[in-house]
Amino acid sequence: MNAYVERVIEYVKKKHGDEPEFVQTVEEVFSSISPVIDAHPEYEKADLLTRMVEPERMFTFRVVWRDDEGQWHTNIGYRCQFNGALGPYKGGLRFQPNVYPGIIKFLGFEQTFKNSLTGLPIGGGKGGSDFDPAGKSDAEIMRFCQSFMTALYRYIGPDVDVPAGDIGVGGREIGYLFGQYRRLKGAWENGVLTGKGATYGGSLIRPEATGYGAVYYLCEVLNHEKDTIEGKTIACAGFGNVTWGICKKATELGAKVVTLSGPDGYIYDPDGVATKEKIDYLVEMRASGRNKVKDYADKFGVQFFPGEKPWGVKVDVVMPSAMQNDVHLEHAKQIAANGIKYYIEVANMPTTNDALAFLLEQKGMIVAPSKAVNAGGVGVSALEMSQNSERLVWTAEEVDAQLHKMMKTIHEMSVEAAEEYGLGYNLVAGANIAGFKKVATAMMEQGCF
Ligand code: 2IT
């Protein structure tokens, strides 16, 4: 590996040992771009990599809210404006009790390169709170969102920083956040958030975009292998918005999602999460706030495996679509032992670095990285920003066609970037290189700061 890259990784390990997820993503991205640093000595001269691992701005804020019994609670809010070289900071808000600076920073770092891959003018950001939405009433969620936005609104804006949803933040939360922003600003700036409802500037297809985009990307991979999606079985994780989108598109194209997971275990449905009733039920499960996938097994009479992950199931395609570090080395070994050819990451950093390295060594296995596969979500968010600034609403067909084109281009760019450095069909390195190059060029051209 390039000596400068090694030094920066060591520096990050030393400085951020208490933020393991952040160290993990820096190591993953920077080890891929080592050949680019070899070819561009000016990056070391400008110490570009040390600049890249330091967020432009990151802050915390107090979020105080009252529950239905009249009890007061205090949570921590975060926003990390990681890199604005390509456009306004853009990235989701995550509400989950395990949120701490290391999670927000890993997501913001990933987001910077992912947003670059979309080809659209968006910088990287991320935010959220350690608030736990599970079991909260609608009124409690609303009061929390209003308090969160009251603290955040002066630091964001359509040309400054445009948050969206992530785990624990969906259309309902974005609605409450937007309502409070509008109330505080006294202005119709609907470009300030994406993932809005369709009646007030939300883009059609945005709720589906991450899942649809992931399946479009999978189709590009299959096409490259002269294979087709028809008849394929897919193991997914989670049962949130992303998995829902995958189920819809996979079913439409003749494939079957056979597993879902939750904090309580996983379900196996050999017929596939493939009927409208089943797919709609995912939305109900999520809205219930129970956060249990067993509900699906009870309702549809399929097998439930308590406390287990779905990675031992024999399928054609594995798509970890729930959360970070969901696939460990022991799971990776099971996946390889099952002879699975397609490992398509969907959630942000779903694979530990040792598991990823193991999978990349497997002959005949194709590994696709999440920052490319899930980029359709934020890509359509950028299209939502375009529609808001034009004060227009595009049709679902227009948005879907653009999303499809975007996913094809991301795959193509990754293939070309890896080939340029003699790495063959390496989608992980290709995505990191292609995403990095644009951010690096923009930072260099904008001077040192
Ligand atoms: O991880 C992601 O790309 C998101 N949560 C979506 C971000 C966005 O701005 O739509």
Side-chain angles (χ1 to χ4, degrees):
M1 205 191 306
N2 178 284
Y4 171 54
V5 172
E6 251 172 37
R7 277 203 311 281
V8 177
I9 292 176
E10 280 317 303
Y11 157 80
V12 173
K13 276 186 180 163
K14 240 198 201 137
K15 193 157 174 116
H16 300 287
D18 54 346
E19 295 173 343
E21 296 84 357
F22 180 55
V23 173
Q24 185 184 338
T25 184
V26 170
E27 207 171 1
E28 196 270 314
V29 174
F30 281 3
S31 50
S32 278
I33 54 109
S34 181
V36 187
I37 303 299
D38 286 338
H40 290 270
E42 71 274 21
Y43 291 167
E44 180 178 353
K45 274 203 187 113
D47 197 16
L48 187 72
L49 298 184
T50 316
R51 258 191 274 163
M52 265 189 184
V53 295
E54 195 59 42
E56 290 182 14
R57 196 172 299 99
M58 178 161 173
F59 48 90
T60 67
F61 45 92
R62 183 168 68 202
V63 187
V64 180
W65 59 282
R66 203 172 181 196
D67 69 24
D68 292 342
E69 272 70 56
Q71 183 70 44
W72 291 94
H73 299 269
T74 305
N75 284 97
I76 313 173
Y78 297 91
R79 189 70 184 164
C80 175
Q81 300 177 333
F82 214 114
N83 194 311
L86 301 185
Y89 309 108
K90 181 87 197 83
L93 299 171
R94 176 175 292 192
F95 293 170
Q96 209 176 19
N98 65 2
V99 163
Y100 80 106
I103 297 267
I104 299 298
K105 275 168 69 178
F106 116 65
L107 290 165
F109 189 76
E110 277 287 292
Q111 197 80 46
T112 300
F113 301 105
K114 177 198 320 197
N115 292 5
S116 164
L117 280 174
T118 66
L120 295 165
I122 41 178
K126 205 81 193 192
S129 174
D130 58 356
F131 173 73
D132 185 1
K136 302 293 186 294
S137 73
D138 200 64
E140 288 169 337
I141 297 281
M142 181 173 79
R143 287 194 295 274
F144 178 81
C145 289
Q146 289 176 338
S147 187
F148 186 92
M149 186 52 90
T150 302
L152 184 62
Y153 86 99
R154 46 184 105 236
Y155 308 108
I156 60 175
D159 295 318
V160 178
D161 182 357
V162 183
D166 195 85
I167 294 172
V169 178
R172 172 180 63 167
E173 290 74 18
I174 293 292
Y176 295 147
L177 291 164
F178 178 68
Q180 185 71 356
Y181 181 86
R182 190 167 71 75
R183 184 182 182 194
L184 291 164
K185 293 283 286 207
W188 181 260
E189 293 176 9
N190 66 349
V192 68
L193 290 167
T194 62
K196 298 180 296 293
T199 55
Y200 59 98
S203 177
L204 296 172
I205 306 292
R206 177 63 189 90
E208 291 88 347
T210 310
Y212 279 21
V215 176
Y216 290 148
Y217 189 99
L218 167 65
C219 290
E220 293 305 305
V221 171
L222 291 164
N223 197 29
H224 181 270
E225 297 303 293
K226 310 208 168 7
D227 200 345
T228 119
I229 191 163
E230 186 103 46
K232 291 278 181 294
T233 53
I234 304 175
C236 274
F239 54 87
N241 193 45
V242 175
T243 302
W244 168 79
I246 295 174
C247 291
K248 272 179 85 164
K249 186 52 81 179
T251 303
E252 189 191 310
L253 299 179
K256 264 193 322 206
V257 172
V258 294
T259 68
L260 304 170
S261 71
D264 53 332
Y266 83 90
I267 65 96
Y268 175 63
D269 183 349
D271 297 331
V273 185
T275 61
K276 187 173 180 318
E277 193 195 359
K278 287 177 175 176
I279 295 172
D280 286 349
Y281 190 62
L282 300 196
V283 181
E284 234 179 280
M285 277 160 66
R286 187 166 12 116
S288 78
R290 282 190 301 272
N291 206 14
K292 281 198 180 118
V293 77
K294 183 173 179 292
D295 292 2
Y296 183 98
D298 293 343
K299 182 162 171 82
F300 298 107
V302 301
Q303 270 182 297
F304 170 65
F305 299 85
E308 282 184 52
K309 295 195 185 280
W311 312 131
V313 177
K314 265 198 178 184
V315 286
D316 300 307
V317 184
V318 168
M319 296 180 92
S321 46
M323 60 187 173
Q324 68 276 1
N325 291 330
D326 202 18
V327 178
H328 293 226
L329 185 58
E330 81 241 35
H331 306 126
K333 287 181 177 163
Q334 273 179 311
I335 291 166
N338 280 338
I340 292 165
K341 178 168 179 188
Y342 302 104
Y343 183 78
I344 312 290
E345 290 191 336
V346 186
N348 294 309
M349 202 169 74
T351 321
T352 61
N353 281 1
D354 55 349
L356 186 62
F358 173 85
L359 292 169
L360 283 166
E361 275 166 17
Q362 301 309 304
K363 284 219 159 40
M365 185 182 294
I366 293 173
V367 179
S370 56
K371 71 170 67 61
V373 177
N374 75 29
V378 72
V380 171
S381 275
L383 301 180
E384 183 168 326
M385 289 163 69
S386 298
Q387 293 169 72
N388 293 159
S389 65
E390 290 181 318
R391 301 204 187 284
L392 289 175
V393 177
W394 303 348
T395 63
E397 289 72 25
E398 281 174 292
V399 179
D400 195 31
Q402 291 233 27
L403 169 63
H404 202 157
K405 198 170 93 196
M406 196 185 309
M407 300 316 297
K408 266 181 187 287
T409 308
I410 291 172
H411 176 263
E412 226 169 74
M413 275 166 48
S414 306
V415 171
E416 282 167 12
E419 272 170 7
E420 188 188 335
Y421 289 92
L423 300 168
Y425 188 59
N426 184 336
L427 297 170
V428 175
N432 282 330
I433 292 171
F436 172 82
K437 273 179 132 178
K438 198 170 152 196
V439 179
T441 307
M443 286 178 76
M444 292 295 282
E445 289 182 6
Q446 289 174 36
C448 289
F449 70 91

